[in-house]
Amino acid sequence: MESYRLLFEKNPLPMWVFDIETLRFLDVNDAAVQKYGYSRSEFLAMTLGDIGPREDVARLREALGTLKPTDRMTGIWSHRKKDGSVFDVELLSTEVTILTRRARLALLNDVTERLRGDRHRATEIAVTRVLIDAKSFAEVAPQAIAEICQAEEWALGEVWLYDPAASVLRLDGTWHAPGLRDMHGREIAAAGLTVRPGVGLVGRVWQRDAPVWIRDLREEAELGWAEYSERFGLRSAVGFPIRARSGVEAVAVLFSQTIREPDEPLLDLLADIGSRIGQIFERDKAEASRRASVEAFQKAFHASPVPMAISSVHDGRFVEANLQFLRMFEFERAEVVGRSSLELEMWVDQQQRQVLGERLKERGSIRDAEVQVRTKAGQVRRALMSIEYLDLRDQPTIITTLVDITEFVGAREAQARLAAIVQSSEDAVFAKSLTGDILTWNTGAEHMYGYSAAEAIGKKLEILVPEERQKEFERVMARLRNGDKIEPFETVRLRKDGRKIVVSVSVSPLRDGAGRLIGGSTIARDITEKKRSEQLVRRSEARFRQLFEVAADATFLIDRRGTILEVNPAGATMIGVKDPAALRGINLGELLPPRELESARQYLRDLLHDRPIAEPFEIQLEPAGSDRRFLHVRSRVIREEGTDPYVQVVARDVTPEKEYQRRLLESERQASMGQVAAFVAHEINTPLTNIALLSASIARAVTDPIVLERLTKIDAQRRTAANIVSELLSLTRSQDVTRIPVDLRGVIDAAIEQTAGFRKPDVRLVQELPREPLIFPVDPIRMQQVVVNLLKNAYQATGSGSVTVRLRSEKDHVMIAVLDTGSGIDPEMKARLFQPFVTTKPRSEGLGLGLVFTKQVIGGHGGAVQVVSEPGRGSTFTITLPKAPNGGSGKDAKAAAVGTPKAP
């Protein structure tokens, strides 16, 4: 019951339940409340008699009294909204029982516009008949007004003729509904009544040359109609001009006993009727001077809805042509009269004209000969031509009538083409009755279902429906019989050989010429193989998706612009993203370092243009919050029909291999340096020792201060050379460190004191050291030398500004940083900064071995050195020393650090 209640409440059409005995409303839905303007409580306090004319109550009770409980009642009724406006509804009701009381459930559909359209069409047909049959304006005007009033349900109609001599409009005639009483006094009172242009409804219509609608006469004082408006209950009025070529010749006015809202289609129809009546008026004036015989003929000729023309027998020139003829051929009358059909090139086939001419001579007339004619614009039309001899003004002529059958022939040919298409279609196309009988059966249906047309036609459609699909079939047929729209659907059908097939079905209603539903047409397509293929594709896609998801290598699918279409979990992990879906729609170029963009774009262009490429293609990736990664990339272009090509990219992380190669290369470099350093130390230390001995011997033997000064300088240079040799040898010695717990603040203080002489006067030293001791196991001597190297470099790079030393203890490491505001380091030099003999300083200030030493010492502690620098903005060197897990020793920390390769 809840579903029925919901259907009642949410139905878009008004519905209500009323008591059969009292006609009182028992329930209404929201659509009824919205349509009629009454609230639900107001409805429930009313009866059906309150929303319709009083005379309808008796008719309604009579209709209800003749109904059986199982009967359905339908009919057209007039209803009134709360605002007083009246409209027509089509009512369908069935009997229900509510609390043992007989009631009816009613469904209503507003048919006001439909009935209005029907009335307008009836009006046009009735007036057209009057116009066709009319002989004069005096005859056609009252008849046309009567037909309009009767068809459109107006109570009173008047015709006012224009008197050009007096420049007034005079009442010429009236018509009123039989139920409108005591009009005699009105007619007498209006017998000599005149209206000037611009005054009242009649004068305004004449002046404006356009219809005028008055919704409520009580709101406008129209020529003293207030008294008669109340007396006869007249409420609305409309006036329209009757015009000829010379202008408005008359005005017609219609009155209604109910308030009627302006009706634009009716106004347009009345304007057209006025023009057509005006044509009669004009024709009357023109025909007044013609002879009676010619008058009757000309009226029929020009008023005929059939294209007609009169031409001379002697030369074939047109004497006259009616409006329909001119419209059909798209000529003006002046272009036709005096010229022949040959001159106007009206014939498509000249031989056909000759044949018809000979037949006319033989038979004396031609009836409904099918011909092809050409309009002024060159359009070919088909027509049925009839020709008769006619004596006109003592001149032998023929009258030709044409019936345009272009649309009919086109429809006939289209129907034939459609039938051929249906018959040759590979889809099954057939028609069925509302009871499920097969009416037609095409070749496609024969092939699909295995039944020939002779076997299928006349049989019930159930022969195609498997047992498990019977209920579905019955639901579809029920919807078809109800006229409901049936969306295309997929189902299973049964062939003659018993094999089941999957079909896609589209069902459309079939209606006869009167619009009545008589059956349905069905188009069915066998999609069995399609469904099987789709299933195989889904399985293949599932397998591919599984391989894609679990692949160890990062796999990307990108379009030709580099936008990521799909990425597997390994790819998302490589980028540093947890959810692969977050990468869809992002351009791959946004994830690469700027220096890699051009080579990556060229690689993609070469792939898409099928140019040879070297694989694997090596590229670098710098994920946020992670070290630089080295990737080996292999790709292939996938081209599928109907879609843009896309690229499958498989990337493998080769960073560990790169790290192993780097370490091997660095080990080999250090071994080579050790050999060179040992050779240099052996070859240079001996001369340096001799220089030291000779200098000391000479110094003891001389007293000349100049010589002693020079000997001192020689000894200084000798010590410099010895230090260089010592530094070279230190790089080749084992970097094993001996850690002891020390306060790192003291190590830094000692380094600051040792480098105080290198600080320039304009350079300020900032110390960011903890207040409490920071005890950490390090090799104090070597760690002091590391800090000394970094401070010396900072002082030498900073002419003015500041140098900052920072010491912090973090959760899992200790950080020592040296920051300066000096000249900074360019990217190219930064990449080679920790290589031997690479320095930004002059040779006299250093050999470029201090940072190499620093890196080796920090590496011996299991830590790392990082540098951040921009030219002109200074540099920051950061040392990170990992804390031993679980309070372990320094060797454990070193082993842990060495066991995890890092990118250079």
Side-chain angles (χ1 to χ4, degrees):
M1 289 299 294
E2 185 61 26
S3 60
Y4 287 106
R5 182 67 188 179
L6 185 62
L7 178 63
F8 175 86
E9 291 292 346
K10 300 302 180 183
N11 197 305
L13 295 177
M15 296 182 71
W16 56 53
V17 180
F18 65 93
D19 189 292
I20 294 178
E21 182 178 351
T22 65
L23 302 185
R24 182 169 298 279
F25 291 103
L26 302 179
D27 198 2
V28 296
N29 70 349
D30 293 340
V33 171
Q34 183 177 4
K35 181 70 177 179
Y36 286 77
Y38 295 103
S39 66
R40 190 180 300 272
S41 60
E42 289 175 324
F43 257 117
L44 299 182
M46 297 165 58
T47 68
L48 286 175
D50 296 328
I51 63 169
R54 295 178 181 177
E55 58 270 18
D56 280 357
V57 176
R59 184 164 66 95
L60 177 59
R61 290 190 179 278
E62 180 181 355
L64 291 172
T66 62
L67 292 176
K68 298 178 182 179
T70 57
D71 290 345
R72 303 173 73 181
M73 184 178 75
T74 60
I76 304 297
W77 304 84
S78 292
H79 282 179
R80 182 173 55 254
K81 298 181 182 179
K82 185 176 181 180
D83 61 4
S85 59
V86 178
F87 65 106
D88 297 315
V89 298
E90 184 178 37
L91 184 145
L92 171 65
S93 72
T94 57
E95 186 164 326
V96 295
T97 301
I98 298 179
L99 298 178
T100 70
R101 294 185 63 84
R102 292 179 62 198
R104 279 200 164 259
L105 172 66
L107 175 70
L108 302 100
N109 185 25
D110 188 347
V111 295
T112 306
E113 293 300 324
R114 190 185 78 190
L115 296 180
R116 183 180 298 167
D118 293 342
R119 287 198 300 272
H120 294 350
R121 285 190 291 273
T123 299
E124 185 174 10
I125 293 172
V127 172
T128 300
R129 289 173 179 167
V130 170
L131 293 176
I132 292 175
D133 298 335
K135 298 178 181 179
S136 65
F137 175 82
E139 177 182 345
V140 71
Q143 291 182 9
I145 295 301
E147 293 292 344
I148 294 172
C149 288
Q150 290 173 357
E152 298 291 342
E153 300 178 356
W154 293 86
L156 174 64
E158 297 178 341
V159 177
W160 296 72
L161 284 179
Y162 178 63
D163 183 355
S167 297
V168 295
L169 289 123
R170 301 182 185 276
L171 182 64
D172 184 65
T174 64
W175 176 94
H176 63 84
L180 195 62
R181 300 178 180 177
D182 195 17
M183 286 301 300
H184 183 65
R186 164 66 180 163
E187 292 170 357
I188 294 175
L193 189 63
T194 61
V195 177
R196 291 193 175 278
V199 178
L201 173 61
V202 177
R204 278 161 39 194
V205 172
W206 187 92
Q207 188 177 55
R208 296 181 184 179
D209 190 9
V212 175
W213 191 292
I214 297 178
R215 180 181 178 274
D216 193 346
L217 286 169
R218 293 172 297 181
E219 298 176 358
E220 295 192 30
E222 286 293 327
L223 299 174
W225 262 99
E227 174 188 351
Y228 291 95
S229 172
E230 293 298 330
R231 180 178 174 185
F232 301 111
L234 302 179
R235 292 294 179 264
S236 295
V238 62
F240 61 93
I242 299 174
R243 71 180 325 276
R245 292 184 181 178
S246 57
V248 180
E249 298 291 349
V251 172
V253 183
L254 311 176
F255 296 89
S256 171
Q257 289 182 301
T258 59
I259 293 178
R260 301 180 66 159
E261 299 296 332
D263 185 348
E264 291 297 331
L266 179 58
L267 289 173
D268 294 339
L269 177 60
L270 293 177
D272 180 67
I273 290 173
S275 298
R276 294 167 67 185
I277 296 175
Q279 293 176 5
I280 302 296
F281 187 94
E282 185 174 355
R283 187 181 66 191
D284 282 356
K285 291 198 303 183
E287 290 177 344
S289 61
R290 298 180 184 177
R291 291 178 297 179
S293 59
V294 175
E295 177 183 359
F297 170 77
Q298 286 291 81
K299 182 172 66 173
F301 177 81
H302 285 291
S304 174
V306 178
M308 302 175 65
I310 302 172
S311 57
S312 171
V313 173
H314 297 307
D315 55 14
R317 297 183 184 277
F318 288 107
V319 177
E320 189 60 272
N322 73 351
L323 182 61
Q324 299 299 328
F325 185 91
L326 297 175
R327 287 177 177 174
M328 179 176 178
F329 287 93
E330 303 173 351
F331 283 105
E332 296 293 332
R333 183 177 181 279
E335 296 177 298
V336 173
V337 175
R339 302 177 69 184
S340 68
S341 60
L342 289 176
E343 292 175 318
L344 295 173
E345 299 181 349
M346 290 181 173
W347 289 91
V348 175
D349 186 354
Q350 297 293 337
Q351 186 176 359
Q352 189 180 40
R353 176 180 179 274
Q354 295 175 1
V355 171
L356 290 177
E358 294 172 358
R359 188 185 303 173
L360 179 63
K361 292 177 182 179
E362 294 174 359
R363 303 179 182 178
S365 66
I366 294 175
R367 297 290 183 189
D368 297 332
E370 187 170 332
V371 297
Q372 287 185 309
V373 294
R374 184 184 292 109
T375 67
K376 179 181 179 180
Q379 183 183 9
V380 176
R381 303 194 69 81
R382 295 187 179 184
L384 295 178
M385 178 179 285
S386 298
I387 306 176
E388 295 281 352
Y389 282 106
L390 177 68
D391 290 331
L392 183 65
R393 300 172 188 171
D394 300 326
Q395 178 184 4
T397 59
I398 58 174
I399 180 168
T400 302
T401 60
L402 297 168
V403 177
D404 192 344
I405 60 171
T406 305
E407 284 72 18
F408 171 77
V409 173
R412 183 178 62 192
E413 293 176 350
Q415 186 176 9
R417 288 193 297 270
L418 179 60
I421 292 172
V422 169
Q423 192 61 26
S424 61
S425 173
E426 294 183 1
D427 293 338
V429 183
F430 55 88
K432 58 194 174 191
S433 68
L434 294 177
T435 58
D437 297 316
I438 298 174
L439 304 177
T440 64
W441 193 257
N442 77 334
T443 305
E446 291 181 342
H447 295 159
M448 183 179 298
Y449 295 109
Y451 293 96
S452 66
E455 292 174 314
I457 294 176
K459 297 289 194 307
K460 290 291 185 181
L461 201 58
E462 282 87 340
I463 63 174
L464 307 177
V465 182
E467 183 177 352
E468 67 273 12
R469 295 281 179 164
Q470 285 294 332
K471 291 185 178 180
E472 174 194 67
F473 172 73
E474 292 169 2
R475 287 196 299 270
V476 173
M477 289 301 297
R479 296 190 65 191
L480 177 63
R481 286 189 287 269
N482 290 335
D484 296 339
K485 181 179 179 181
I486 302 175
E487 299 291 342
F489 62 96
E490 295 179 0
T491 186
V492 177
R493 288 293 179 257
L494 198 63
R495 284 176 46 86
K496 181 180 179 181
D497 58 12
R499 183 164 55 89
K500 293 181 180 179
I501 57 175
V502 183
V503 295
S504 174
V505 179
S506 176
V507 181
S508 303
L510 282 179
R511 300 183 183 275
D512 61 13
R516 293 188 296 268
L517 182 66
I518 60 173
S521 66
T522 299
I523 302 175
R525 174 169 295 180
D526 187 349
I527 59 173
T528 306
E529 290 302 321
K530 176 185 174 184
K531 284 292 183 181
R532 185 177 293 113
S533 299
E534 289 176 352
Q535 186 176 16
L536 292 175
V537 169
R538 285 195 295 270
R539 290 176 181 173
S540 176
E541 288 178 347
R543 287 194 294 268
F544 169 77
R545 169 60 63 179
Q546 185 177 9
L547 292 174
F548 181 77
E549 293 291 339
V550 302
D553 290 338
T555 304
F556 301 83
L557 297 181
I558 61 174
D559 64 13
R560 61 191 312 153
R561 289 175 292 276
T563 302
I564 297 175
L565 306 175
E566 192 64 76
V567 59
N568 69 344
T573 301
M574 178 180 289
I575 299 300
V577 176
K578 293 182 180 180
D579 184 9
L583 293 174
R584 295 188 194 121
I586 296 177
N587 193 281
L588 205 55
E590 299 177 24
L591 307 175
L592 297 175
R595 63 179 179 277
E596 299 286 344
L597 283 179
E598 185 54 38
S599 62
R601 288 169 180 162
Q602 185 60 47
Y603 174 70
L604 183 59
R605 287 193 291 267
D606 291 343
L607 272 173
L608 292 170
H609 290 85
D610 297 325
R611 291 193 284 263
I613 57 174
E615 288 194 328
F617 172 67
E618 185 173 301
I619 196 167
Q620 297 180 23
L621 187 67
E622 296 180 355
S626 180
D627 295 328
R628 178 174 52 178
R629 316 299 295 173
F630 291 87
L631 309 179
H632 277 180
V633 174
R634 297 181 185 273
S635 307
R636 68 185 183 99
V637 180
I638 300 175
R639 291 183 170 86
E640 296 176 349
E641 186 175 353
T643 61
D644 290 337
Y646 60 94
V647 180
Q648 181 189 39
V649 179
V650 179
R652 175 168 293 177
D653 189 350
V654 295
T655 305
E657 289 87 341
K658 284 285 184 180
E659 176 65 12
Y660 296 146
Q661 292 175 4
R662 184 192 65 79
R663 290 189 176 187
L664 179 60
L665 182 61
E666 185 175 347
S667 177
E668 292 175 351
R669 185 186 297 118
Q670 288 184 357
S672 299
M673 287 178 57
Q675 293 176 359
V676 172
F679 174 78
V680 169
H682 180 271
E683 295 298 325
I684 293 180
N685 277 338
T686 300
L688 290 177
T689 301
N690 293 333
I691 291 173
L693 294 173
L694 290 173
S695 297
S697 177
I698 295 172
R700 286 193 298 268
V702 299
T703 58
D704 187 347
I706 295 176
V707 174
L708 291 174
E709 180 182 356
R710 290 177 179 176
L711 288 173
T712 301
K713 291 180 179 180
I714 291 172
D715 190 58
Q717 293 298 319
R718 192 267 308 167
R719 286 196 301 272
T720 299
N723 287 336
I724 292 173
V725 173
S726 177
E727 288 185 10
L728 281 173
L729 288 174
S730 68
L731 294 177
T732 63
R733 299 191 187 103
S734 171
Q735 297 302 324
D736 290 340
V737 295
T738 302
R739 294 189 179 192
I740 59 174
V742 296
D743 186 355
L744 290 181
R745 297 182 305 167
V747 174
I748 293 175
D749 288 340
I752 292 173
E753 182 179 355
Q754 187 176 344
T755 57
F758 293 94
R759 181 160 63 94
K760 300 178 180 66
D762 294 333
V763 176
R764 179 169 52 89
L765 177 64
V766 179
Q767 299 182 46
E768 297 181 2
L769 306 179
R771 295 182 179 179
E772 301 297 328
L774 179 53
I775 307 301
F776 193 78
V778 297
D779 188 325
I781 297 176
R782 294 198 177 199
M783 189 59 66
Q784 178 180 334
Q785 187 59 44
V786 166
V787 179
V788 166
N789 288 341
L790 296 181
L791 284 172
K792 283 176 60 178
N793 290 342
Y795 288 146
Q796 290 169 347
T798 308
S800 62
S802 66
V803 172
T804 301
V805 181
R806 183 177 297 155
L807 173 63
R808 289 181 184 173
S809 177
E810 304 292 346
K811 181 178 179 181
D812 57 354
H813 65 276
V814 171
M815 182 268 291
I816 302 173
V818 177
L819 303 80
D820 66 65
T821 59
S823 57
I825 307 169
D826 60 65
E828 182 180 358
M829 178 61 70
K830 177 183 172 184
R832 302 167 48 235
L833 203 57
F834 291 96
Q835 296 178 9
F837 307 111
V838 174
T839 181
T840 60
K841 297 177 289 186
R843 284 297 180 186
S844 61
E845 297 183 13
L847 294 176
L849 298 175
L851 289 179
V852 178
F853 174 81
T854 297
K855 184 177 180 182
Q856 289 181 345
V857 171
I858 298 304
H861 283 77
V865 183
Q866 293 181 335
V867 58
V868 177
S869 180
E870 291 184 27
R873 301 187 66 177
S875 305
T876 299
F877 285 82
T878 304
I879 298 171
T880 303
L881 300 174
K883 295 180 179 179
N886 302 323
S889 66
K891 291 183 179 181
D892 295 337
K894 177 180 177 181
V898 172
T900 305
K902 293 184 178 292

